[in-house]
Amino acid sequence: MSKEKEARFEKAAFGYRPEDVDRYIAESDKKLAAAKAEKAELLSKMKILADKITEYRSDEGNLKEAMLGAQRMKASIENEAKSKADTTVSEAQEYANQLIADAQAKSSQMVADAQERANKMIAEAQKTAEQKVNSVTSQVERERATLSQLQKEVSGFKNRLISLYREHLNLITNLPEQAKSAKELPVREEKAVPAPAEADEPAGDAFTEKFGEVDLK
């Protein structure tokens, strides 16, 4: 509001001039009306502010209630989430333990089965090896027996051959004496003896007739 000017009236012959007084009163009325209008406007604004303050206070209460409700809901949700999380973790741990137990049981069973199969394979392999060893041993024994028999037969053949050579040697040694006595005897023709390659029978037949059959197997 503007500061009011100090009223000054010009004096007339019998007091103040009416025109100045009337002008001043008119201006004062205008100023008073403007002040009243401004006051009314300020009062209206104050009422609006008061209503807003009341509304804000009401909203503040509602906001506090909402915040408290939100905090309670938050706490409830957190508790529920924690409970669910604990339950989920417990169930997951139990499930994991069950899986581990099943896996260990299956692994143990697989190891046992594999060990059993391995033992069976080892036993069969040992049995087969023993059979082969026994077979080879039997064959070796038969070969040894055959070799021993051959050695005996060869030894006998050698002895008979040596005896035959000695007999022939004795015959050859006695040939001169027989030749001298043969001069006194009449000469007779002897049949030619065919060579072994040209004979009808192998040369070994005579040896067989004299010394018997020789098994060289």
Side-chain angles (χ1 to χ4, degrees):
M1 182 182 287
S2 61
K3 187 177 180 181
E4 294 183 358
K5 295 181 180 180
E6 186 179 355
R8 293 181 180 180
F9 300 106
E10 296 293 335
K11 291 184 179 181
F14 300 99
Y16 295 102
R17 288 192 305 174
E19 294 86 357
D20 294 337
V21 174
D22 292 337
R23 188 172 53 252
Y24 179 77
I25 292 171
E27 291 179 358
S28 297
D29 289 337
K30 289 180 180 180
K31 292 179 180 179
L32 181 61
K36 287 181 178 180
E38 187 177 359
K39 178 182 179 182
E41 185 179 357
L42 291 174
L43 289 173
S44 176
K45 290 181 179 181
M46 288 178 64
K47 185 175 182 305
I48 293 172
L49 290 174
D51 293 339
K52 288 292 182 182
I53 291 172
T54 303
E55 184 180 354
Y56 289 155
R57 286 179 178 175
S58 177
D59 291 340
E60 184 180 3
N62 295 332
L63 184 59
K64 288 182 179 179
E65 288 293 331
M67 290 179 65
L68 290 174
Q71 289 177 353
R72 286 193 294 267
M73 184 178 293
K74 177 185 176 183
S76 176
I77 292 172
E78 288 178 349
N79 292 332
E80 184 177 358
K82 184 178 179 180
S83 177
K84 287 184 179 180
D86 293 339
T87 303
T88 302
V89 170
S90 178
E91 291 176 353
Q93 186 65 42
E94 184 178 357
Y95 182 67
N97 292 336
Q98 184 65 36
L99 287 177
I100 292 172
D102 293 342
Q104 288 178 347
K106 289 181 180 179
S107 177
S108 300
Q109 185 63 38
M110 290 174 66
V111 170
D113 294 341
Q115 186 66 41
E116 184 177 358
R117 288 196 298 270
N119 292 335
K120 287 182 179 179
M121 292 175 66
I122 292 172
E124 291 176 358
Q126 289 178 345
K127 184 177 179 181
T128 303
E130 290 176 357
Q131 290 176 351
K132 288 184 178 180
V133 169
N134 293 333
S135 176
V136 172
T137 302
S138 300
Q139 186 176 358
V140 170
E141 292 297 331
R142 289 194 299 270
E143 294 294 335
R144 284 179 178 175
T146 302
L147 180 61
S148 178
Q149 183 66 29
L150 286 174
Q151 288 175 346
K152 289 180 181 179
E153 292 177 359
V154 169
S155 178
F157 175 75
K158 286 172 64 178
N159 292 332
R160 289 194 297 272
L161 187 61
I162 290 172
S163 298
L164 181 62
Y165 285 161
R166 286 176 179 174
E167 183 179 352
H168 286 181
L169 184 61
N170 291 330
L171 290 174
I172 293 170
T173 303
N174 295 325
L175 277 178
E177 296 178 358
Q178 292 179 357
K180 289 180 181 180
S181 59
K183 292 179 180 179
E184 300 173 358
L185 295 175
V187 178
R188 62 178 183 179
E189 294 182 1
E190 295 183 358
K191 295 181 179 180
V193 179
E198 297 176 355
D200 295 335
E201 295 181 357
D205 291 344
F207 181 81
T208 302
E209 291 177 357
K210 184 171 180 121
F211 298 103
E213 198 66 45
V214 177
D215 188 8
L216 296 177
K217 293 182 181 180

